[in-house]
Amino acid sequence: MTGPYDDIINHPHHTSSRHPRMPRIDRASQFAPFAALTGYEETIKETERLTEEMRLLTDGEREEIGRKLRDAMVTGRKASLTYFVPDRLKEGGKYKTVTSVIKAVKGDCIIIEGERIKLNYILNITPLSD
């Protein structure tokens, strides 16, 4: 059989004296998939993350929370407090429950252990017994 490359087919592979051979792992990484859209995966994960809507309380529920808040302040006991935390990146948020002594009420916020919580974000207060 004769072909156009018969004269070079049995020669050894050329090795450069100036450039060392690339390690196999580096050669393989040249063909690895890449992210064509930077940040795409993070955007998908953020879209999948669920948030809740803040529940609006009735006037009666707000009065009840105000009464429980005053009682907790007067007695100085710990209370379990459920409140809304707005999400920084998208609409909605989540509800968080903490147990703490209510330190003070300033304007439209209450202060517990270094945190300020807006009064209209409070969903429930449950005073705890010692």
Side-chain angles (χ1 to χ4, degrees):
M1 190 180 346
T2 58
Y5 301 108
D6 286 345
D7 59 331
I8 62 168
I9 197 78
N10 292 323
H11 284 246
H13 181 73
H14 173 72
T15 303
S16 172
S17 58
R18 267 193 249 167
H19 304 289
R21 289 185 67 111
M22 183 182 287
R24 282 184 181 249
I25 191 73
D26 292 341
R27 285 182 54 80
S29 67
Q30 289 180 352
F31 302 102
F34 68 98
L37 301 172
T38 306
Y40 180 73
E41 289 295 322
E42 292 80 16
T43 303
I44 294 297
K45 286 180 184 175
E46 177 60 29
T47 303
E48 290 174 346
R49 190 171 57 87
L50 298 177
T51 58
E52 298 177 58
E53 285 186 34
M54 186 172 91
R55 186 173 156 237
L56 298 176
L57 301 177
T58 65
D59 290 338
E61 289 171 323
R62 279 194 295 252
E63 288 175 14
E64 181 70 17
I65 286 174
R67 186 186 58 74
K68 288 180 180 180
L69 179 62
R70 282 188 296 280
D71 291 347
M73 291 279 299
V74 169
T75 61
R77 292 185 176 159
K78 284 188 175 184
S80 176
L81 189 70
T82 302
Y83 63 98
F84 185 75
V85 179
D87 195 290
R88 294 182 197 169
L89 300 176
K90 61 187 188 180
E91 200 167 312
K94 65 179 180 178
Y95 279 96
K96 181 178 176 181
T97 301
V98 294
T99 300
S100 177
V101 173
I102 298 168
K103 304 273 186 191
V105 177
K106 290 191 178 179
D108 66 341
C109 295
I110 64 168
I111 303 199
I112 57 163
E113 297 178 7
E115 269 191 84
R116 294 177 74 98
I117 301 167
K118 289 188 175 187
L119 291 172
N120 61 339
Y121 286 173
I122 298 172
L123 180 66
N124 190 20
I125 295 177
T126 307
L128 304 175
S129 57
D130 292 328

